[in-house]
Amino acid sequence: MFRVIVPWEAMSISVSPFIVSLIVTLSAVQAVAVDSNSIKVRVWPERVQQGDACLIQLIPDGPFTRVALRWRKEAFPFHREEACDSYSLLFGIDLDEPAGKKKCQIVIQTSQGKAHDTAINLEVTEKQFPTQYLVLPPEMVTLNSEILERVRREKKAVQRIWKSSGPTKLWKSRFMMPLDGEVLSPFGVRRIINKERRNPHTGIDLRAKLATPVLASNEGIVALTAEHFFAGKSVFLDHGMGVFTMYFHLSKIWVAEGDKVIRGQVIGLVGKTGRATGPHLHWGVRIKNSRVDPLSLLRLKLE
Ligand SMILES: [Zn+2]
């Protein structure tokens, strides 16, 4: 096994000796050879941090029938980009993923039916998330058994949808902000509420006036609409291939489960439902069951 680490790419590729030679390129692209195929691998962003959305692109010399990333015993198929003859995977690094080098395999099936494994070391760098101290009325923080049961039920209903995403890519080009507003509370903030450590903030809070239209960040299907204890009136959009965006604390919901939505379509209005101290939009993103910073998704130049 030999390996080349290119620091500006924050990534290395290891190839088992039986998979022939390894060629290092001069640009931000790394190349490996699998059989007679030369494969280039790129990762965006160049420095992947905890809580980042990232894009892995494979540019092969010849056609493959299937390309997948193996991560924690799960296989995540790449999408074939016909326009640029490449394979891409929109992936997410959970905010609680420990920093360090991650070994993962890229499984490639050639058109001759041969399967190959190429090992990739994806380096996740540590991100310093800020700490926020909040003081809330005790009744908003201490939950009675009835509410705890409700919260558990709602959590289960949400967890079910993460498994429901289809294998087809539904998003078109880049994701967009659901509204134009300043970030009041960033992603990943460690929260101390009434002097007690609570769950980190897994989205961003955007400043907005009551009843401001909330736009779908990209094309997709409405996976869930709900009125939950914490999230209030909320919409969950499935953009395919395990990519979800969610919109919380709405005053009005203008879509229904199963609806197809287009990028920029109004899906509801800003409110302060659920556990919110004032009107704002909480916007969250989940990719392959990882909680990622919505702003990191916006930065990716997607096809
Ligand atoms: Zn929030």
Side-chain angles (χ1 to χ4, degrees):
M1 181 97 72
F2 46 97
R3 174 188 302 166
V4 170
I5 297 179
V6 186
W8 29 256
E9 184 77 283
M11 176 192 171
S12 71
I13 293 175
S14 308
V15 182
S16 308
F18 65 86
I19 302 180
V20 296
S21 65
L22 174 80
I23 311 144
V24 185
T25 58
L26 301 171
S27 68
V29 185
Q30 297 174 60
V32 292
V34 173
D35 267 4
S36 58
N37 292 297
S38 160
I39 307 160
K40 291 173 184 164
V41 183
R42 291 181 195 221
V43 179
W44 290 274
E46 287 184 1
R47 186 164 165 259
V48 178
Q49 291 188 296
Q50 293 169 309
D52 267 354
C54 57
L55 182 67
I56 306 172
Q57 188 188 37
L58 250 80
I59 308 164
D61 212 0
F64 294 147
T65 51
R66 189 173 182 268
V67 181
L69 174 82
R70 200 175 288 282
W71 175 272
R72 307 264 152 78
K73 295 178 184 166
E74 268 192 85
F76 299 105
F78 280 61
H79 167 77
R80 186 170 159 77
E81 304 282 359
E82 303 289 344
C84 52
D85 213 10
S86 65
Y87 297 83
S88 63
L89 175 67
L90 181 50
F91 200 61
I93 305 296
D94 191 79
L95 86 164
D96 279 338
E97 177 70 39
K101 280 187 183 131
K102 312 287 162 186
K103 266 237 160 88
C104 40
Q105 305 288 119
I106 289 189
V107 186
I108 296 163
Q109 194 146 14
T110 64
S111 47
Q112 294 87 40
K114 285 187 187 170
H116 296 279
D117 271 20
T118 297
I120 286 190
N121 276 340
L122 185 67
E123 184 161 0
V124 176
T125 55
E126 195 172 344
K127 185 162 184 177
Q128 294 298 325
F129 295 108
T131 302
Q132 187 182 36
Y133 297 85
L134 294 169
V135 178
L136 294 175
E139 63 272 18
M140 278 180 87
V141 183
T142 312
L143 311 179
N144 64 35
S145 58
E146 201 179 314
I147 291 177
L148 276 173
E149 183 48 41
R150 177 185 165 188
V151 168
R152 260 194 292 271
R153 246 191 350 259
E154 291 170 353
K155 200 176 166 184
K156 272 191 182 168
V158 170
Q159 278 168 343
R160 269 197 297 274
I161 71 159
W162 307 139
K163 295 182 186 119
S164 69
S165 187
T168 310
K169 181 189 121 169
L170 302 175
W171 71 87
K172 301 248 164 72
S173 77
R174 296 175 81 142
F175 282 73
M176 60 179 276
M177 286 283 273
L179 54 80
D180 186 15
E182 173 202 350
V183 177
L184 292 170
S185 174
F187 174 82
V189 168
R190 310 292 169 183
R191 286 176 156 175
I192 313 283
I193 302 178
N194 299 352
K195 296 183 182 170
E196 268 187 62
R197 184 169 287 275
R198 299 285 168 155
N199 289 334
H201 192 220
T202 55
I204 58 173
D205 290 346
L206 297 170
R207 186 193 296 279
K209 286 192 180 133
L210 203 67
T212 302
V214 175
L215 315 180
S217 180
N218 213 317
E219 195 157 322
I221 292 171
V222 180
L224 180 71
T225 61
E227 181 151 14
H228 287 168
F229 178 77
F230 284 117
K233 286 191 172 142
S234 42
V235 174
F236 295 73
L237 298 184
D238 175 7
H239 304 285
M241 302 188 82
V243 179
F244 291 88
T245 55
M246 53 209 117
Y247 311 79
F248 293 172
H249 310 305
L250 305 175
S251 57
K252 290 268 189 295
I253 294 176
W254 284 5
V255 286
E257 283 172 27
D259 281 1
K260 281 186 184 162
V261 295
I262 58 164
R263 188 177 184 274
Q265 179 180 331
V266 179
I267 54 170
L269 304 177
V270 167
K272 52 174 187 172
T273 56
R275 199 172 74 173
T277 50
H280 73 278
L281 176 71
H282 171 105
W283 183 38
V285 171
R286 195 122 177 162
I287 302 177
K288 322 287 192 205
N289 221 357
S290 288
R291 301 159 298 170
V292 303
D293 185 348
L295 298 182
S296 74
L297 178 61
L298 295 185
R299 285 193 283 267
L300 294 177
K301 289 177 187 163
L302 301 172
E303 298 296 328

